[in-house]
Every structure is written in C-alpha cells, then in structure tokens.
Amino acid sequence: MTVYTTTDSPLGELLLVGEESATAKGGTALASLSMPGQKGGAVVLDGWVRDDAAFDVIIGQLRSYFSGGLTHFDIEYAAGAGTEFQRKVWTALDTVPYGTTTTYGRLAERLGVPRAAVRALGTAIGRNPLLVVRPCHRVIGADGSLTGYAAGLERKRLLLDLEAA
C-alpha cells in the first residue's frame, strides 16, 4: 500500500511517499521525497492513503538533519524506481559524504561512465526521487558552480550551506 504525508522544512513543505515494509524502521520504505515546484516532483494519486504516523521515523531523521544533528540518513528506500543506470547513479550519490561535494565528471569517472555520457549521468541525477536524503545536492559543476537541482538552485545552496560544503 502506498502511503504519504507532508511535513514542513526549511526548504518548504515536503511530500513524503512510501510503501509499507516489514524491514524498514517505522514500517515505511521511502519511495519519494519531493517539494512544491520541483521538476518531476510527486503528486498525490488516487488510492494513496495519508498516514502521518507511518513517517515518524523518517521525519525525525529529517528534523535532526535540518537542525545539524544528523549527517547520514538510515532510511530504507522502496524498490523499483528508475532504470538500472539511474539506480547505479543514485547508489553512487549515497557515497558522497556529508559536508563535501563532487562534480558530475568525478562521479562519472567513479562509475566508469565515459565523458561523452556525463549528460546522461546528469539526467539520472535530476530524476532522483529522494531529494535531501539521497544527496544529489552535493554534485556541482566542474568549475564549482551550482548546477541542476530539480527543486531549484536556491534550495541546493541552502542544503550545501547547512552542511557547510
């Protein structure tokens, strides 16, 4: 069953979508974390059930992160989203440490993606359904500039400032 809730954050209202899971802390595996105005962000669909309590553990971690007390999320992600290539890129995002950044080129190199396919890597990053918790905001341009964040560059800057990266 697909469940959802919303919660306030320094980035604005967050929409959390999940699937019931016997193995996830709190019983919910996170499928999507998005915000209003986000390119490709989730919208509540018919048949989804609002269940605020299902997200207590995840929201607790988000609040701790936003207050500076958490540097690594311990959240189970729902399976099934994305292509094999996208999942490979998203898994690599999880390895970019808190308080640091990497470039699209370095991430491509780490994954063995040819330079000619860096644009495909950027597209995969842009389709990350789990903003904030899967740290696509830590990927920047080769010249250090902020580029390509589905929720807007001002939110990317806020997250990097929070992490002091």
Side-chain angles (χ1 to χ4, degrees):
M1 174 170 57
T2 301
V3 293
Y4 76 94
T5 193
T6 58
T7 190
D8 289 329
S9 81
L11 303 173
E13 183 179 72
L14 303 178
L15 172 62
L16 290 82
V17 180
E19 300 291 334
E20 292 179 335
S21 169
T23 57
K25 292 180 181 180
T28 302
L30 190 63
S32 174
L33 191 161
S34 59
M35 46 200 94
Q38 172 188 328
K39 180 181 170 191
V43 293
V44 177
L45 299 176
D46 288 341
W48 289 6
V49 175
R50 183 171 187 119
D51 186 349
D52 299 336
F55 294 91
D56 285 348
V57 170
I58 296 168
I59 289 172
Q61 288 188 46
L62 286 165
R63 288 187 177 136
S64 183
Y65 168 80
F66 286 123
S67 70
L70 183 74
T71 61
H72 177 76
F73 291 97
D74 184 16
I75 296 172
E76 181 179 311
Y77 302 145
T83 65
E84 182 180 339
F85 178 72
Q86 288 170 334
R87 289 190 302 272
K88 180 179 174 182
V89 171
W90 298 340
T91 298
L93 291 174
D94 289 330
T95 68
V96 181
Y98 180 94
T100 68
T101 58
T102 192
T103 66
Y104 293 91
R106 283 193 297 245
L107 195 59
E109 186 176 298
R110 186 172 348 146
L111 289 169
V113 173
R115 278 296 223 196
V118 171
R119 181 174 236 106
L121 179 125
T123 299
I125 292 170
R127 296 219 170 103
N128 171 19
L130 298 167
L131 296 189
V132 183
V133 298
R134 181 177 284 140
C136 56
H137 59 276
R138 296 180 191 152
V139 183
I140 60 174
D143 62 359
S145 63
L146 298 187
T147 58
Y149 191 61
L153 294 181
E154 65 284 347
R155 288 177 172 143
K156 184 171 189 166
R157 169 52 55 208
L158 191 148
L159 290 168
L160 292 175
D161 287 349
L162 171 79
E163 297 181 5

